[in-house]
Amino acid sequence: HEELFAEYFEPESASFSSKSNNTNQNQKYITADSILQLAEYSFNKNSFEQSIQLFNAYHELLDTLNPEAQYFKSVALLGNRQPVNAINNFNLINDEKDVFENDIHWYKGLSYLADQRFAQAREEIQNINKNSVRYKLGQNLIKQFSNLTSEQ
């Protein structure tokens, strides 16, 4: 399962827009924005452990969960080989506009794969919408699950 996970785990780059370009803004938000930019940089360099710490600092400072930052923190947890924490974190995301819906299904599926819970991985990946860019990849991964489960 490790090889399969490595083959399919290719996170997209994080790209957060700066919100503190106004010099009259509250210092707390300027600091939070700087932390988020550092988290983005760390994430994009695959320094997942550091990006997790920075995402935590960002959420602590603002005392709120930004869905986009939470999403990338979840992917970072998975990249840092913490699949159970990643799943729990994905479940915290309040994605009212369904911006991350298919990506969450994809990465939760990979999290279950990394945790060797193949039935849950298959179920999660089957929830990906047919119009999603991840759908075909998900179907290919599901086909490979049968090889994993028959080897055990």
Side-chain angles (χ1 to χ4, degrees):
H1 78 282
E2 281 290 323
E3 299 84 20
L4 198 56
F5 174 81
E7 179 182 340
Y8 283 91
F9 182 73
E10 294 182 5
E12 68 275 24
S13 292
S15 180
F16 300 98
S17 59
S18 179
K19 294 176 178 66
S20 64
N21 53 8
N22 183 344
T23 55
N24 294 327
Q25 260 193 330
N26 182 318
Q27 185 61 43
K28 178 170 116 174
Y29 293 104
I30 294 170
T31 302
D33 190 60
S34 297
I35 292 170
L36 190 58
Q37 298 305 312
L38 287 171
E40 173 189 310
Y41 178 79
S42 296
F43 181 91
N44 291 340
K45 294 290 181 200
N46 292 339
S47 298
F48 296 123
E49 191 169 337
Q50 183 179 15
S51 69
I52 292 164
Q53 294 169 0
L54 291 163
F55 285 126
N56 286 340
Y58 171 78
H59 286 123
E60 243 177 67
L61 181 62
L62 294 182
D63 197 28
T64 185
L65 294 180
N66 169 322
E68 185 179 15
Q70 195 71 357
Y71 166 77
F72 282 104
K73 176 187 171 190
S74 302
V75 175
L77 285 164
L78 179 56
N80 202 38
R81 301 290 195 239
Q82 298 178 46
V84 174
N85 288 339
I87 292 164
N88 293 336
N89 216 62
F90 279 122
N91 291 335
L92 294 174
I93 298 173
N94 182 8
D95 186 21
E96 292 173 357
K97 296 180 180 133
D98 295 330
V99 173
F100 302 106
E101 179 183 19
N102 292 304
D103 294 322
I104 289 171
H105 288 309
W106 172 251
Y107 284 113
K108 278 178 72 176
L110 289 179
S111 299
Y112 286 122
L113 169 64
D115 200 40
Q116 298 185 31
R117 295 190 286 178
F118 304 117
Q120 286 139 310
R122 178 181 289 113
E123 184 180 319
E124 198 65 52
I125 290 170
Q126 285 174 332
N127 287 325
I128 296 172
N129 185 300
K130 285 184 169 107
N131 297 325
S132 169
V133 295
R134 299 212 189 264
Y135 180 77
K136 195 172 186 178
L137 206 55
Q139 296 308 301
N140 290 336
L141 181 56
I142 287 171
K143 287 176 189 166
Q144 293 186 44
F145 283 154
S146 58
N147 297 337
L148 281 176
T149 53
S150 66
E151 291 172 6
Q152 294 181 349

